[in-house]
Amino acid sequence: MAELRRRSRHPLPTPREIDGRRPERILAAGDRAEVHLYRDAAGRDPIVMKVFRDVLDHGEREVFAAAAARLVALSTHPSVTTVHSAGTTDEGRPYLVMEYCSRADLAETASRSPMSVPEALRLLVRLCGAVETAHRSGIAHGRVGIENVLTTDYGWPAMIGFDTDALLRRDVSGATTAARAADVHGLAVAATELLTGRPIAETTSALAGADAVPAELETLVLATLEATAAGDGPSAAEFGLTLQRIEADRHLPITHLDVREPDAAATAEVPAPDEDERTVLSTRHSAPDDDHTVLSTRHSAPDDDHTVLSTRKTGPDDDHTALSTRHSAPDDDHTVLSTR
């Protein structure tokens, strides 16, 4: 984890031991929380403890416990930093116990040099899956950006920094329409910064000077920036699917869009999204002269819960590829690319 040099004027009391691990040093400190590195007695097995500054009363502790449970469930996503557990200190301050990512965040990586287009597409699709899964769980990130994406020891992106205000919000879901649009806007900003190697505020045009960036990718990013800034635009899943289509058009390996529906128990108190959305990206022939690409949102049956990537023929002239969320009949010949 990239260590921040800024230190709080009023440091928190040294955190207690966790499962036999002792605090080794502070990694970061801010107005809301301190982040500490822990190791076992042998100096191995590092973990991170994030301790929030505000002391919670009894009712607020219950709210935090429920929100943290959703965050723990979300963190099983391969592109979200794992949250092992949560609790409160003896003083009543909430904390999260998370995995330790020793590599630099994406902001530091991108500042060294722009990413290649294939690498940026692969990373962005993975982040789209993480953000979409969070939204379906009723959680908005609130601060999506390359500075809040670390890298695991296995080279996977690990999103951190979910909005603590959203975790402690009592009456409304964090994943409102406006909040979801803001998160997707953050993904589009991240695309710009990864591809140019510069903060978006320092560019006269979003992808100026990035001659290697395909025109269709630049058009997508600019359109998404404009639409989401107005509180509209694509969902994270739709953004990710369009990025996949660009990968396919450039004959690149298609990065899997990791999206999982939340467990009912984990979201029992979370208001449902505005509507039950399933996104379909397919190229199909419905008649000999009907050759077009469809990007649509549709309602699925209650048991419609997996992703299918298939090429099939239903008739002599029907040859198409479908990426859809659907429940198939036993005799439907297809290849399944499952969500993991």
Side-chain angles (χ1 to χ4, degrees), residues 16-33:
R16 62 189 181 188
E17 292 187 8
I18 303 175
D19 297 331
R21 297 183 182 91
R22 298 178 180 179
E24 179 178 283
R25 69 177 186 273
I26 188 170
L27 297 176
D31 296 334
R32 296 182 176 182

Side-chain angles (χ1 to χ4, degrees), residues 243-326:
L243 293 170
Q244 283 182 324
R245 187 173 62 189
I246 294 174
E247 286 182 317
D249 290 344
R250 295 182 64 81
H251 307 290
L252 298 171
I254 298 177
T255 306
H256 192 272
L257 183 64
D258 298 305
V259 177
R260 190 193 70 175
E261 291 292 350
D263 296 331
T267 58
E269 298 181 2
V270 181
D274 294 340
E275 58 183 23
D276 184 12
E277 295 181 348
R278 302 291 186 272
T279 303
V280 180
L281 178 62
S282 64
T283 303
R284 64 177 181 181
H285 292 281
S286 58
D289 58 349
D290 183 3
D291 188 357
H292 61 276
T293 301
V294 179
L295 176 61
S296 63
T297 302
R298 66 174 182 179
H299 291 284
S300 305
D303 59 349
D304 183 356
D305 60 359
H306 64 272
T307 302
V308 179
L309 178 62
S310 64
T311 302
R312 63 171 186 167
K313 293 186 179 181
T314 56
D317 300 324
D318 187 359
D319 188 357
H320 65 272
T321 301
L323 176 60
S324 62
T325 303
R326 62 173 186 170

Side-chain angles (χ1 to χ4, degrees), residues 117-132:
V117 170
E119 186 179 8
L121 287 170
R122 182 169 59 250
L123 177 62
L124 289 166
V125 171
R126 289 173 175 172
L127 295 180
C128 285
V131 172
E132 178 68 20

Side-chain angles (χ1 to χ4, degrees), residues 79-259:
S79 297
V80 175
T81 301
T82 302
V83 179
H84 300 295
S85 62
T88 55
T89 66
D90 294 338
E91 298 83 14
R93 294 184 175 88
Y95 65 83
L96 299 171
V97 179
M98 305 177 292
E99 73 171 309
Y100 174 62
C101 298
S102 59
R103 299 189 185 185
D105 60 42
L106 287 185
E108 182 177 341
T109 302
S111 66
R112 299 169 186 165
S113 63
M115 276 190 179
S116 67
V117 170
E119 186 179 8
L121 287 170
R122 182 169 59 250
L123 177 62
L124 289 166
V125 171
R126 289 173 175 172
L127 295 180
C128 285
V131 172
E132 178 68 20
T133 300
H135 290 174
R136 296 187 184 191
S137 301
I139 299 173
H141 186 284
R143 293 176 294 174
V144 172
I146 57 177
E147 68 279 2
N148 279 324
V149 180
L150 305 179
T151 305
T152 70
D153 293 339
Y154 295 96
W156 281 81
M159 186 170 283
I160 62 170
F162 283 83
D163 189 358
T164 54
D165 287 342
L167 286 176
L168 298 173
R169 188 176 285 110
R170 290 175 175 242
D171 300 323
V172 298
S173 168
T176 62
T177 299
R180 292 198 295 270
D183 282 353
V184 179
H185 185 83
L187 291 171
V189 170
T192 298
E193 296 176 339
L194 292 174
L195 291 165
T196 64
R198 301 186 303 275
I200 192 170
E202 297 178 7
T203 59
T204 56
S205 176
L207 302 183
D211 295 335
V213 177
E216 62 270 27
L217 178 55
E218 182 171 10
T219 298
L220 170 65
V221 171
L222 293 176
T224 302
L225 284 170
E226 182 179 1
T228 53
D232 198 0
S235 68
E238 290 168 339
F239 187 46
L241 287 169
T242 310
L243 293 170
Q244 283 182 324
R245 187 173 62 189
I246 294 174
E247 286 182 317
D249 290 344
R250 295 182 64 81
H251 307 290
L252 298 171
I254 298 177
T255 306
H256 192 272
L257 183 64
D258 298 305
V259 177

